[in-house]
mmCIF file of all heavy atoms in Angstrom:
data_model
loop_
_atom_site.group_PDB
_atom_site.id
_atom_site.type_symbol
_atom_site.label_atom_id
_atom_site.label_comp_id
_atom_site.label_asym_id
_atom_site.label_seq_id
_atom_site.Cartn_x
_atom_site.Cartn_y
_atom_site.Cartn_z
ATOM 1 N N VAL I 44 -4.495 -7.830 -4.923
ATOM 2 C CA VAL I 44 -5.263 -8.583 -5.856
ATOM 3 C C VAL I 44 -6.668 -8.297 -5.809
ATOM 4 O O VAL I 44 -7.431 -7.946 -6.804
ATOM 5 C CB VAL I 44 -5.006 -10.046 -5.930
ATOM 6 C CG1 VAL I 44 -5.997 -10.879 -6.714
ATOM 7 C CG2 VAL I 44 -3.617 -10.488 -6.194
ATOM 8 N N LEU I 45 -7.317 -8.305 -4.641
ATOM 9 C CA LEU I 45 -8.735 -8.138 -4.322
ATOM 10 C C LEU I 45 -9.151 -6.666 -4.672
ATOM 11 O O LEU I 45 -10.101 -6.499 -5.369
ATOM 12 C CB LEU I 45 -9.096 -8.538 -2.950
ATOM 13 C CG LEU I 45 -8.815 -9.964 -2.523
ATOM 14 C CD1 LEU I 45 -9.381 -10.120 -1.041
ATOM 15 C CD2 LEU I 45 -9.527 -10.927 -3.393
ATOM 16 N N LEU I 47 -7.605 -4.641 -6.859
ATOM 17 C CA LEU I 47 -7.521 -4.302 -8.399
ATOM 18 C C LEU I 47 -8.665 -5.097 -9.059
ATOM 19 O O LEU I 47 -9.178 -4.334 -9.864
ATOM 20 C CB LEU I 47 -6.165 -4.891 -8.896
ATOM 21 C CG LEU I 47 -4.870 -4.096 -8.453
ATOM 22 C CD1 LEU I 47 -3.687 -4.886 -9.036
ATOM 23 C CD2 LEU I 47 -5.027 -2.643 -9.021
ATOM 24 N N LEU I 48 -8.996 -6.182 -8.578
ATOM 25 C CA LEU I 48 -10.128 -6.866 -9.286
ATOM 26 C C LEU I 48 -11.446 -6.154 -8.966
ATOM 27 O O LEU I 48 -12.395 -6.032 -9.743
ATOM 28 C CB LEU I 48 -10.144 -8.284 -8.841
ATOM 29 C CG LEU I 48 -9.154 -9.206 -9.430
ATOM 30 C CD1 LEU I 48 -9.232 -10.628 -8.938
ATOM 31 C CD2 LEU I 48 -9.142 -9.292 -10.974
ATOM 32 N N SER I 49 -11.571 -5.612 -7.734
ATOM 33 C CA SER I 49 -12.841 -4.982 -7.324
ATOM 34 C C SER I 49 -13.019 -3.704 -8.178
ATOM 35 O O SER I 49 -14.184 -3.286 -8.375
ATOM 36 C CB SER I 49 -12.840 -4.623 -5.793
ATOM 37 O OG SER I 49 -12.018 -3.471 -5.433
ATOM 38 N N GLU I 50 -11.929 -3.024 -8.562
ATOM 39 C CA GLU I 50 -12.067 -1.787 -9.362
ATOM 40 C C GLU I 50 -12.171 -2.031 -10.849
ATOM 41 O O GLU I 50 -12.367 -1.081 -11.580
ATOM 42 C CB GLU I 50 -10.798 -0.892 -8.994
ATOM 43 C CG GLU I 50 -10.718 -0.516 -7.555
ATOM 44 C CD GLU I 50 -9.360 0.068 -7.189
ATOM 45 O OE1 GLU I 50 -8.367 0.007 -7.982
ATOM 46 O OE2 GLU I 50 -9.338 0.793 -6.125
ATOM 47 N N ALA I 51 -11.840 -3.291 -11.299
ATOM 48 C CA ALA I 51 -11.918 -3.528 -12.769
ATOM 49 C C ALA I 51 -13.397 -3.777 -13.189
ATOM 50 O O ALA I 51 -14.307 -4.171 -12.470
ATOM 51 C CB ALA I 51 -11.096 -4.960 -12.986
ATOM 52 N N PRO I 52 -13.572 -3.389 -14.492
ATOM 53 C CA PRO I 52 -14.938 -3.639 -15.117
ATOM 54 C C PRO I 52 -15.324 -5.135 -14.972
ATOM 55 O O PRO I 52 -14.526 -6.056 -15.191
ATOM 56 C CB PRO I 52 -14.709 -3.446 -16.566
ATOM 57 C CG PRO I 52 -13.547 -2.451 -16.626
ATOM 58 C CD PRO I 52 -12.519 -2.907 -15.491
ATOM 59 N N ASP I 53 -16.405 -5.325 -14.504
ATOM 60 C CA ASP I 53 -17.048 -6.681 -14.174
ATOM 61 C C ASP I 53 -16.200 -7.592 -13.193
ATOM 62 O O ASP I 53 -16.302 -8.724 -13.204
ATOM 63 C CB ASP I 53 -17.216 -7.558 -15.446
ATOM 64 C CG ASP I 53 -18.205 -6.886 -16.488
ATOM 65 O OD1 ASP I 53 -19.275 -6.327 -16.027
ATOM 66 O OD2 ASP I 53 -17.781 -6.903 -17.706
ATOM 67 N N ARG I 54 -15.369 -6.730 -12.376
ATOM 68 C CA ARG I 54 -14.541 -7.376 -11.405
ATOM 69 C C ARG I 54 -13.628 -8.473 -11.991
ATOM 70 O O ARG I 54 -13.368 -9.504 -11.401
ATOM 71 C CB ARG I 54 -15.374 -7.756 -10.210
ATOM 72 C CG ARG I 54 -16.078 -6.705 -9.608
ATOM 73 C CD ARG I 54 -16.726 -7.227 -8.291
ATOM 74 N NE ARG I 54 -17.429 -6.122 -7.638
ATOM 75 C CZ ARG I 54 -18.728 -6.137 -7.371
ATOM 76 N NH1 ARG I 54 -19.370 -7.171 -7.596
ATOM 77 N NH2 ARG I 54 -19.290 -5.101 -6.684
ATOM 78 N N ARG I 55 -13.119 -8.214 -13.204
ATOM 79 C CA ARG I 55 -12.259 -9.210 -13.753
ATOM 80 C C ARG I 55 -11.194 -8.510 -14.613
ATOM 81 O O ARG I 55 -11.296 -7.518 -15.201
ATOM 82 C CB ARG I 55 -12.997 -10.157 -14.721
ATOM 83 C CG ARG I 55 -13.731 -9.392 -15.946
ATOM 84 C CD ARG I 55 -14.497 -10.458 -16.814
ATOM 85 N NE ARG I 55 -15.427 -11.334 -16.183
ATOM 86 C CZ ARG I 55 -15.353 -12.569 -16.286
ATOM 87 N NH1 ARG I 55 -14.524 -13.197 -17.069
ATOM 88 N NH2 ARG I 55 -16.299 -13.423 -15.689
ATOM 89 N N LEU I 56 -9.954 -9.274 -14.656
ATOM 90 C CA LEU I 56 -8.813 -8.717 -15.446
ATOM 91 C C LEU I 56 -8.071 -9.880 -16.047
ATOM 92 O O LEU I 56 -7.982 -11.002 -15.442
ATOM 93 C CB LEU I 56 -7.903 -8.079 -14.485
ATOM 94 C CG LEU I 56 -8.208 -6.547 -14.003
ATOM 95 C CD1 LEU I 56 -7.168 -6.125 -12.940
ATOM 96 C CD2 LEU I 56 -8.144 -5.676 -15.217
ATOM 97 N N ARG I 57 -7.615 -9.654 -17.207
ATOM 98 C CA ARG I 57 -6.800 -10.631 -17.927
ATOM 99 C C ARG I 57 -5.540 -10.876 -17.001
ATOM 100 O O ARG I 57 -5.010 -9.900 -16.292
ATOM 101 C CB ARG I 57 -6.346 -10.175 -19.257
ATOM 102 C CG ARG I 57 -7.604 -10.244 -20.247
ATOM 103 C CD ARG I 57 -7.064 -9.925 -21.605
ATOM 104 N NE ARG I 57 -6.049 -10.930 -22.062
ATOM 105 C CZ ARG I 57 -6.297 -11.863 -22.968
ATOM 106 N NH1 ARG I 57 -7.449 -12.006 -23.550
ATOM 107 N NH2 ARG I 57 -5.246 -12.712 -23.316
ATOM 108 N N MET I 58 -4.976 -12.058 -16.946
ATOM 109 C CA MET I 58 -3.921 -12.461 -16.134
ATOM 110 C C MET I 58 -2.671 -11.385 -16.448
ATOM 111 O O MET I 58 -2.097 -11.045 -15.512
ATOM 112 C CB MET I 58 -3.516 -13.897 -16.252
ATOM 113 C CG MET I 58 -4.618 -14.826 -15.813
ATOM 114 S SD MET I 58 -5.003 -14.663 -14.025
ATOM 115 C CE MET I 58 -3.695 -15.832 -13.516
ATOM 116 N N GLU I 60 -2.605 -8.468 -17.672
ATOM 117 C CA GLU I 60 -2.865 -7.117 -17.139
ATOM 118 C C GLU I 60 -2.806 -7.120 -15.603
ATOM 119 O O GLU I 60 -2.180 -6.143 -15.011
ATOM 120 C CB GLU I 60 -4.234 -6.746 -17.471
ATOM 121 C CG GLU I 60 -4.675 -5.352 -16.910
ATOM 122 C CD GLU I 60 -3.987 -4.198 -17.350
ATOM 123 O OE1 GLU I 60 -3.238 -4.159 -18.331
ATOM 124 O OE2 GLU I 60 -4.124 -3.035 -16.720
ATOM 125 N N LEU I 61 -3.206 -8.107 -14.939
ATOM 126 C CA LEU I 61 -3.150 -8.100 -13.533
ATOM 127 C C LEU I 61 -1.673 -8.219 -13.036
ATOM 128 O O LEU I 61 -1.248 -7.619 -12.087
ATOM 129 C CB LEU I 61 -3.935 -9.369 -12.871
ATOM 130 C CG LEU I 61 -4.076 -9.433 -11.434
ATOM 131 C CD1 LEU I 61 -4.622 -8.209 -10.782
ATOM 132 C CD2 LEU I 61 -4.940 -10.706 -11.187
ATOM 133 N N ARG I 64 -0.027 -4.904 -13.369
ATOM 134 C CA ARG I 64 -0.506 -3.942 -12.381
ATOM 135 C C ARG I 64 -0.025 -4.266 -10.971
ATOM 136 O O ARG I 64 0.329 -3.389 -10.156
ATOM 137 C CB ARG I 64 -1.947 -3.753 -12.377
ATOM 138 C CG ARG I 64 -2.392 -3.223 -13.773
ATOM 139 C CD ARG I 64 -3.682 -2.603 -13.995
ATOM 140 N NE ARG I 64 -4.191 -1.829 -12.853
ATOM 141 C CZ ARG I 64 -5.568 -1.617 -12.553
ATOM 142 N NH1 ARG I 64 -6.448 -2.294 -13.307
ATOM 143 N NH2 ARG I 64 -5.910 -0.873 -11.553
ATOM 144 N N VAL I 85 -11.171 -15.686 -5.459
ATOM 145 C CA VAL I 85 -10.890 -15.399 -6.896
ATOM 146 C C VAL I 85 -11.214 -16.724 -7.751
ATOM 147 O O VAL I 85 -10.865 -17.742 -7.266
ATOM 148 C CB VAL I 85 -9.513 -14.796 -7.164
ATOM 149 C CG1 VAL I 85 -9.155 -14.704 -8.650
ATOM 150 C CG2 VAL I 85 -9.294 -13.445 -6.444
ATOM 151 N N ALA I 86 -11.673 -16.523 -8.923
ATOM 152 C CA ALA I 86 -11.826 -17.577 -9.862
ATOM 153 C C ALA I 86 -10.999 -17.367 -11.085
ATOM 154 O O ALA I 86 -10.929 -16.262 -11.365
ATOM 155 C CB ALA I 86 -13.226 -17.888 -10.277
ATOM 156 N N ARG I 87 -10.519 -18.380 -11.686
ATOM 157 C CA ARG I 87 -9.858 -18.237 -12.923
ATOM 158 C C ARG I 87 -10.800 -18.672 -14.025
ATOM 159 O O ARG I 87 -11.256 -19.841 -14.001
ATOM 160 C CB ARG I 87 -8.595 -19.096 -12.874
ATOM 161 C CG ARG I 87 -7.376 -18.544 -13.629
ATOM 162 C CD ARG I 87 -6.156 -19.286 -13.564
ATOM 163 N NE ARG I 87 -5.876 -19.822 -12.212
ATOM 164 C CZ ARG I 87 -4.740 -20.157 -11.741
ATOM 165 N NH1 ARG I 87 -3.685 -19.890 -12.534
ATOM 166 N NH2 ARG I 87 -4.529 -20.662 -10.517
ATOM 167 N N GLU I 88 -11.021 -17.914 -15.031
ATOM 168 C CA GLU I 88 -11.939 -18.182 -16.113
ATOM 169 C C GLU I 88 -11.346 -17.921 -17.478
ATOM 170 O O GLU I 88 -10.435 -17.047 -17.639
ATOM 171 C CB GLU I 88 -13.257 -17.381 -16.055
ATOM 172 C CG GLU I 88 -14.105 -17.692 -14.731
ATOM 173 C CD GLU I 88 -15.267 -16.874 -14.613
ATOM 174 O OE1 GLU I 88 -15.516 -16.058 -15.560
ATOM 175 O OE2 GLU I 88 -15.993 -16.902 -13.677
ATOM 176 N N SER I 89 -11.776 -18.621 -18.486
ATOM 177 C CA SER I 89 -11.320 -18.431 -19.946
ATOM 178 C C SER I 89 -11.778 -16.942 -20.210
ATOM 179 O O SER I 89 -12.873 -16.531 -19.900
ATOM 180 C CB SER I 89 -11.880 -19.336 -20.858
ATOM 181 O OG SER I 89 -11.406 -20.637 -20.668
ATOM 182 N N CYS I 90 -10.881 -16.372 -20.965
ATOM 183 C CA CYS I 90 -11.286 -15.005 -21.473
ATOM 184 C C CYS I 90 -12.358 -15.146 -22.558
ATOM 185 O O CYS I 90 -12.235 -15.834 -23.581
ATOM 186 C CB CYS I 90 -10.063 -14.336 -22.047
ATOM 187 S SG CYS I 90 -10.204 -12.628 -22.602
ATOM 188 N N PRO I 91 -13.527 -14.409 -22.384
ATOM 189 C CA PRO I 91 -14.594 -14.517 -23.383
ATOM 190 C C PRO I 91 -14.190 -14.114 -24.829
ATOM 191 O O PRO I 91 -14.632 -14.687 -25.766
ATOM 192 C CB PRO I 91 -15.666 -13.552 -22.913
ATOM 193 C CG PRO I 91 -15.290 -13.309 -21.461
ATOM 194 C CD PRO I 91 -13.846 -13.532 -21.295
ATOM 195 N N GLN I 92 -13.310 -13.122 -24.907
ATOM 196 C CA GLN I 92 -12.914 -12.599 -26.283
ATOM 197 C C GLN I 92 -11.760 -13.495 -26.916
ATOM 198 O O GLN I 92 -11.633 -13.496 -28.110
ATOM 199 C CB GLN I 92 -12.391 -11.146 -26.248
ATOM 200 C CG GLN I 92 -13.358 -10.169 -25.747
ATOM 201 C CD GLN I 92 -13.419 -10.131 -24.231
ATOM 202 O OE1 GLN I 92 -12.646 -10.836 -23.509
ATOM 203 N NE2 GLN I 92 -14.366 -9.189 -23.747
ATOM 204 N N ARG I 94 -10.246 -17.251 -26.050
ATOM 205 C CA ARG I 94 -10.209 -18.578 -25.379
ATOM 206 C C ARG I 94 -8.987 -18.924 -24.855
ATOM 207 O O ARG I 94 -8.792 -19.876 -23.988
ATOM 208 C CB ARG I 94 -11.001 -19.634 -26.086
ATOM 209 C CG ARG I 94 -12.494 -19.332 -26.309
ATOM 210 C CD ARG I 94 -13.193 -19.718 -25.059
ATOM 211 N NE ARG I 94 -14.646 -19.475 -25.282
ATOM 212 C CZ ARG I 94 -15.401 -18.916 -24.272
ATOM 213 N NH1 ARG I 94 -14.898 -18.755 -23.157
ATOM 214 N NH2 ARG I 94 -16.664 -18.701 -24.495
ATOM 215 N N SER I 97 -6.665 -16.173 -20.040
ATOM 216 C CA SER I 97 -7.523 -16.441 -18.882
ATOM 217 C C SER I 97 -7.569 -15.235 -18.151
ATOM 218 O O SER I 97 -6.810 -14.220 -18.327
ATOM 219 C CB SER I 97 -7.060 -17.631 -18.071
ATOM 220 O OG SER I 97 -5.799 -17.364 -17.531
ATOM 221 N N GLU I 98 -8.671 -15.024 -17.330
ATOM 222 C CA GLU I 98 -8.909 -13.931 -16.533
ATOM 223 C C GLU I 98 -9.022 -14.333 -15.042
ATOM 224 O O GLU I 98 -9.533 -15.455 -14.698
ATOM 225 C CB GLU I 98 -10.111 -13.217 -16.872
ATOM 226 C CG GLU I 98 -10.114 -12.647 -18.306
ATOM 227 C CD GLU I 98 -11.405 -11.959 -18.649
ATOM 228 O OE1 GLU I 98 -12.495 -12.479 -18.326
ATOM 229 O OE2 GLU I 98 -11.371 -11.036 -19.447
ATOM 230 N N ALA I 99 -8.635 -13.350 -14.150
ATOM 231 C CA ALA I 99 -8.945 -13.523 -12.703
ATOM 232 C C ALA I 99 -10.307 -12.779 -12.489
ATOM 233 O O ALA I 99 -10.373 -11.630 -12.919
ATOM 234 C CB ALA I 99 -7.749 -12.990 -11.861
ATOM 235 N N VAL I 100 -11.073 -13.469 -11.683
ATOM 236 C CA VAL I 100 -12.389 -12.859 -11.502
ATOM 237 C C VAL I 100 -12.714 -12.857 -9.955
ATOM 238 O O VAL I 100 -12.527 -13.924 -9.310
ATOM 239 C CB VAL I 100 -13.532 -13.748 -12.138
ATOM 240 C CG1 VAL I 100 -14.885 -13.106 -11.959
ATOM 241 C CG2 VAL I 100 -13.269 -13.761 -13.654
ATOM 242 N N LEU I 101 -12.991 -11.712 -9.488
ATOM 243 C CA LEU I 101 -13.368 -11.676 -8.032
ATOM 244 C C LEU I 101 -14.673 -12.248 -7.723
ATOM 245 O O LEU I 101 -15.673 -11.995 -8.321
ATOM 246 C CB LEU I 101 -13.404 -10.125 -7.746
ATOM 247 C CG LEU I 101 -13.621 -9.833 -6.179
ATOM 248 C CD1 LEU I 101 -12.408 -10.342 -5.331
ATOM 249 C CD2 LEU I 101 -13.827 -8.286 -6.018
ATOM 250 N N THR I 102 -14.661 -13.237 -6.765
ATOM 251 C CA THR I 102 -15.966 -13.898 -6.397
ATOM 252 C C THR I 102 -16.646 -13.038 -5.362
ATOM 253 O O THR I 102 -16.143 -12.063 -4.813
ATOM 254 C CB THR I 102 -15.618 -15.226 -5.783
ATOM 255 O OG1 THR I 102 -14.921 -15.042 -4.510
ATOM 256 C CG2 THR I 102 -14.874 -16.095 -6.666
#
Side-chain angles (χ1 to χ4, degrees):
V44 166
L45 299 181
L47 290 175
L48 291 175
S49 75
E50 296 170 345
D53 299 322
R54 296 188 180 125
R55 61 177 54 235
L56 283 171
R57 289 186 61 105
M58 295 293 276
E60 172 68 13
L61 185 56
R64 299 203 36 211
V85 171
R87 217 178 314 210
E88 297 180 2
S89 293
C90 182
Q92 299 85 1
R94 294 278 179 217
S97 63
E98 295 178 324
V100 181
L101 185 65
T102 64

